[in-house]
Amino acid sequence: MKVALQVTCVNDAMFPDTGKAVVRLLRRLGVDVDFPGAQTCCGQPMVNTGYLDEAVPVVRTFVDAFAGYDAIVTPSGSCAGSARHQHSIVAERSGDPALVAAVAETAPRTYELTEFLVDVLGVTDVGAYFPHRVTYHPTCHSLRMLGVGDRPRRLLEAVRGIELVELPQATECCGFGGTFALKNADTSVAMGADKARHVRDTGAEVLVAGDNSCLMHIGGMLSRQRAGVRVMHLAEILAATEVSEGETGGPAVGARAAGA
Amino acid sequence: MSGTFVGMPAFPTAAREALADTQLRRNLAHATHTIRDKRARVVAEVEDWEDLRLAGAGVKEAALRDLATHLETLEASLVRAGATVHWARDAEEACAIVADVARRHGADEVVKVKSMATQEIGLNEALEAEGIAAWETDLAELIVQLGDDLPSHILVPAIHRNRAEIREIFRRRMADVGRAAPDDLSDEPGVLAGAAREHLREKFLRAKVAVSGANFAVADTGTLVVVESEGNGRMCLTLPEVLVSVVGIEKVVATWSDLDPMLRLLPRSSTGERMNPYTSTWTGVTPGDGPQEVHVVLLDNGRTRALADEVGRQALRCIRCSACLNVCPVYERVGGHAYGSVYPGPIGAILNPLLRGVSDEQTASLPYASSLCGACFEVCPVRIDIPSVLVDQRAAVVDSHRGDRVPKAEAAAMKAAAWTFADARRLRWAERASGLAGRVLGRFSRTTLPGGRAAAGRLPGPGAGWTGARDLPAPPAESFREWWDRTDGGQDGDRR
């Protein structure tokens, strides 16, 4: 099986550690994962702001980069949702039958990370070790657009050493919403404030989710509040082992100096 | 005697003001969560809820697919049953028809059943201009009307008020327009309802003309249906001699049996009740029973415009249950007034632009009043895919500006982003630039994020919308793709 990592533009530019964690995790599970260098973005920022024409070349780049792979794995519910549900809209808009056909190939082969682990690889215990108090926020697009259900929870429950605590009103949106966070910043922050409050109420040290964009929003608020809660992508917890715990379990020594 | 939505600012501005209203925030959070939980409980009881949703969507979709035929059947059935049918292209025509009926009967007042269509066309204001008083008789609409206020919810228009405020409104305003509130009025819900009952009763008994909307209009029988909880609607529908019903053309269903799924879906979705308390049906005129002159105004007012929209037309399936409002995290925090329309919340964010177009700034701001979380679609009893329609309406807004001589900053930014994302080599350069910026920002940063990364500090321009309330990590020195190339995908050792 030829497997490609779609790292997503946000992770590529802002959260490379999440991409590295996916690579480590998949290799550990025996998957020879490839990173097609021609990839850029799924086009969701344009589509969700209404710029469909502008999304056409971006979707074209996506289908070209991932042509020929059996599975396209992405550590983002939102980007997987975009590839599966929005690329066809953009392709129709382009009026290019070749793009429509190419999207029909890539869309059903795109998997959010937990879907790939549970449904394709058939694993829930990925051999991870993470001895911390953790609460999980199901992001809206993974929950309602993709319907990942309890897959992330089952994966987390199998992590050794983890203390998983329930997040109150977990299924409520955090208020990120892409350009919504800027266009309606006040409402976005009001929603985020309530999400941050619920996270603090759990007493968790780490908030985990499957989308770094939502975590950037909630984590940004928690950080501003000096709440003492850090955010981590699910992939980074699943990639953590007893050997690597020093790297991902606590503040990495020298991370600040390296800007990473 | 009521406010107006005309001249409301665009959503972000209106929302900012609403967010600062602490009492509104408290009232809304409490009320929406209460109804939301109640709905979830009673929906969970229905084993075949998903099948029922499909059936409901199917009934409405079938009616819309052949709307002209069903409307003509409805007209013929109504005429046969002794009703007079009027067609109104827009609000002005509809209001003129209602005013004309009232005038012909020498009426200087009408009693009203709670109705969204008459709110939409601004009937009360139009009648007032003709010297005809329109009395709202739904308890919540009465509160809104007496308070010179605007509705903020489709089902519970006074959701933004608490009982202490309602007591004040009753004490100060009831005497001006009829029977005064008792001196010892408390804020007990039962006492407040009692005062409203006394106040409204004299209006029910006096009025010659009633005005209603309709939840459904059955084409093959010519039957109109009103679904309400208080019985005040039924007073209006049965006591006066003349009844005028303003009905949106999308309210038509083909047959009587089509009501079956709709009347099961609506109460559970809207009030969280298993069965609706007062369901009134009437078919034209029944000699010696109820109104002896029945008028039906079939209203377009933008509905054929919405029907012509391939993606958006599903919004015409809406049965005004408000389930989408009650689960919407945006609505829950800003309330209904910020949407600047009698149709607020997620459904309002698509319905208003579909009915009116997106040429004005206020309406054009509505499709963006959502984080696209999808909670609305999940609860919609007729399966309106609101998030997809929101995105489609955003595209309509963007497309309407494609001819602008000076493009908006956002359009320029999106074009630049699309250009960068069209080619991975361009993205690599952009990431190198951001990595460089990250090193500089990291060096000067005075904030360490939980976990150890440096924060980017406060950003200028549009970025201030982010960093005003949220820390942002400084971009990493090395992007993922640079790391992959440098380490051969991590095989060459992970450390720099």
Side-chain angles (χ1 to χ4, degrees):
Chain A
M1 184 169 57
K2 273 186 79 183
V3 179
L5 166 65
Q6 190 230 334
V7 75
T8 82
C9 60
V10 166
N11 290 327
D12 185 11
M14 288 295 288
F15 304 98
D17 285 350
T18 296
K20 295 174 201 173
V22 176
V23 172
R24 254 199 327 275
L25 172 65
L26 291 181
R27 289 230 177 93
R28 198 168 75 217
L29 297 169
V31 178
D32 181 21
V33 63
D34 194 11
F35 176 75
Q39 66 179 280
T40 58
C41 165
C42 66
Q44 188 177 202
M46 288 97 212
V47 176
N48 281 355
T49 316
Y51 291 83
L52 294 188
D53 287 345
E54 285 74 5
V56 172
V58 184
V59 170
R60 210 182 287 283
T61 305
F62 184 100
V63 296
D64 287 348
F66 294 105
Y69 285 96
D70 301 309
I72 304 154
V73 182
T74 183
S76 163
S78 204
C79 303
S82 166
R84 290 228 292 263
H85 299 290
Q86 296 186 328
H87 280 189
S88 58
I89 298 168
V90 175
E92 290 289 343
R93 167 102 168 190
S94 76
D96 176 2
L99 187 58
V100 174
V103 164
E105 289 292 316
T106 52
R109 290 186 169 83
T110 306
Y111 298 90
E112 186 270 341
L113 177 65
T114 68
E115 293 177 322
F116 183 73
L117 294 173
V118 176
D119 300 347
V120 180
L121 299 184
V123 291
T124 46
D125 184 352
V126 297
Y129 172 71
F130 194 74
H132 301 273
R133 188 175 168 94
V134 173
T135 193
Y136 169 71
H137 166 61
T139 60
C140 297
H141 288 177
S142 65
L143 187 74
R144 285 181 276 263
M145 203 169 181
L146 296 179
V148 301
D150 65 352
R151 291 175 185 83
R153 168 160 292 280
R154 279 154 64 200
L155 287 158
L156 282 168
E157 277 167 355
V159 172
R160 279 183 305 117
I162 200 167
E163 186 189 350
L164 198 57
V165 286
E166 199 70 42
L167 178 66
Q169 298 185 32
T171 58
E172 268 218 36
C173 177
C174 71
F176 169 65
T179 49
F180 175 78
L182 295 175
K183 289 174 82 85
N184 279 288
D186 297 279
T187 309
S188 168
V189 168
M191 290 159 70
D194 288 339
K195 181 59 74 179
R197 174 166 54 86
H198 292 312
V199 172
R200 289 201 314 273
D201 284 349
T202 65
E205 177 201 338
V206 178
L207 169 70
V208 62
D211 276 272
N212 271 333
S213 46
C214 307
L215 286 177
M216 188 166 71
H217 166 72
I218 313 169
M221 299 202 71
L222 288 166
S223 167
R224 184 61 58 87
Q225 297 168 358
R226 306 295 186 264
V229 183
R230 67 187 153 129
V231 295
M232 277 178 87
H233 193 282
L234 180 61
E236 294 178 44
I237 289 182
L238 297 181
T241 58
E242 248 164 293
V243 181
S244 71
E245 163 61 10
E247 289 169 28
T248 54
V253 179
R256 188 185 152 88
Chain B
M1 183 174 84
S2 78
T4 171
F5 282 116
V6 176
M8 281 282 288
F11 185 83
T13 306
R16 192 179 312 133
E17 283 166 30
L19 287 166
D21 185 337
T22 52
Q23 171 136 34
L24 177 83
R25 295 280 294 274
R26 158 87 197 137
N27 290 0
L28 276 171
H30 177 73
T32 54
H33 278 267
T34 305
I35 310 181
R36 187 189 304 186
D37 294 346
K38 209 172 155 200
R39 177 208 161 271
R41 270 198 308 277
V42 298
V43 163
E45 294 170 356
V46 183
E47 220 170 273
D48 58 352
W49 182 254
E50 282 311 307
D51 294 337
L52 204 52
R53 284 177 85 201
L54 284 169
V59 163
K60 295 293 282 189
E61 203 53 42
L64 291 170
R65 205 176 302 128
D66 205 4
L67 189 59
T69 310
H70 294 302
L71 286 171
E72 280 167 15
T73 308
L74 174 68
E75 180 182 33
S77 304
L78 281 166
V79 169
R80 203 163 48 237
T84 307
V85 175
H86 311 258
W87 298 85
R89 269 172 296 209
D90 54 25
E92 204 181 326
E93 284 189 3
C95 290
I97 294 163
V98 180
D100 186 53
V101 171
R103 237 186 344 250
R104 276 195 289 107
H105 289 273
D108 60 2
E109 62 174 3
V110 300
V111 285
K112 283 188 69 199
V113 184
K114 177 172 166 32
S115 136
M116 295 309 296
T118 59
Q119 298 262 12
E120 173 192 326
I121 61 174
L123 180 65
N124 294 8
E125 295 72 30
L127 291 178
E128 196 183 334
E130 301 269 340
I132 302 162
W135 306 120
E136 294 290 351
T137 68
D138 173 82
L139 177 54
E141 293 289 3
L142 175 70
I143 295 163
V144 169
Q145 188 175 40
L146 289 174
D148 263 339
D149 201 354
L150 288 163
S152 68
H153 189 282
I154 292 173
L155 183 79
V156 269
I159 194 169
H160 56 290
R161 297 290 196 188
N162 63 22
R163 56 200 216 184
E165 291 176 296
I166 294 165
R167 171 175 176 266
E168 267 316 294
I169 291 168
F170 280 10
R171 273 162 48 108
R172 280 189 288 113
R173 304 305 297 272
M174 267 185 173
D176 299 342
V177 291
R179 191 185 170 106
D183 289 335
D184 59 347
L185 186 72
S186 76
D187 66 359
E188 285 300 309
V191 174
L192 292 171
R197 188 177 294 120
E198 297 285 329
H199 178 83
L200 289 171
R201 185 146 301 168
E202 60 180 29
K203 291 188 161 56
F204 289 134
L205 294 171
R206 197 176 61 212
K208 296 271 183 296
V209 179
V211 176
S212 84
N215 293 89
F216 305 101
V218 184
D220 72 345
T221 59
T223 308
L224 298 191
V225 183
V226 159
V227 176
E228 45 117 12
S229 297
E230 296 169 355
N232 291 353
R234 185 165 292 173
M235 291 279 204
C236 298
L237 296 170
T238 51
L239 285 172
E241 295 158 19
V242 181
L243 173 61
V244 191
S245 304
V246 181
V247 183
I249 52 173
E250 85 286 14
K251 296 291 171 199
V252 70
V253 297
T255 66
W256 178 260
S257 60
D258 283 345
L259 291 176
D260 170 9
M262 308 322 289
L263 291 178
R264 284 196 282 159
L265 286 163
L266 183 52
R268 285 183 201 256
S269 299
S270 59
T271 51
E273 288 166 310
R274 295 182 179 89
M275 196 179 157
N276 180 63
Y278 289 89
T279 304
S280 300
T281 68
W282 69 102
T283 307
V285 175
T286 305
D289 184 13
Q292 294 300 293
E293 187 178 320
V294 169
H295 296 265
V296 178
V297 183
L298 294 172
L299 174 73
D300 186 332
N301 207 33
R303 284 158 177 79
T304 49
R305 188 191 182 284
L307 190 68
D309 189 304
E310 223 174 286
V311 178
R313 60 182 295 172
Q314 57 183 305
L316 295 178
R317 297 207 291 253
C318 175
I319 54 173
R320 313 282 188 260
C321 73
S322 322
C324 63
L325 277 62
N326 300 330
V327 298
C328 177
V330 174
Y331 177 87
E332 177 193 333
R333 285 166 184 89
V334 305
H337 293 162
Y339 295 81
S341 160
V342 296
Y343 302 116
I347 188 64
I350 59 172
L351 200 55
N352 290 300
L354 282 163
L355 293 175
R356 297 203 292 255
V358 291
S359 53
D360 71 285
E361 202 198 338
Q362 196 276 329
T363 311
S365 71
L366 293 178
Y368 293 95
S370 165
S371 62
L372 302 178
C373 84
C376 45
F377 182 26
E378 214 172 37
V379 298
C380 178
V382 286
R383 290 187 58 86
I384 302 168
D385 184 354
I386 295 177
S388 292
V389 182
L390 282 167
V391 170
D392 196 61
Q393 284 302 303
R394 289 176 185 189
V397 173
V398 168
D399 289 345
S400 75
H401 285 285
R402 289 206 184 269
D404 288 3
R405 214 170 310 149
V406 185
K408 288 194 292 185
E410 177 192 278
M414 282 295 166
K415 278 199 191 331
W419 183 82
T420 309
F421 287 141
D423 188 328
R425 280 168 300 188
R426 295 173 194 158
L427 180 58
R428 182 186 292 271
W429 282 110
E431 284 169 354
R432 281 193 185 147
S434 106
L436 203 62
R439 283 174 206 241
V440 176
L441 289 169
R443 190 145 305 160
F444 291 104
S445 174
R446 282 183 294 184
T447 305
T448 304
L449 303 177
R453 271 179 80 166
R458 306 288 172 110
L459 298 179
W466 183 278
T467 55
R470 294 161 282 212
D471 284 341
L472 183 71
E478 187 182 51
S479 68
F480 176 83
R481 77 178 59 232
E482 298 262 83
W483 169 84
W484 180 275
D485 290 350
R486 183 174 57 78
T487 63
D488 191 18
Q491 320 257 32
D492 252 7
D494 214 346
R495 298 269 125 204
R496 201 175 236 278

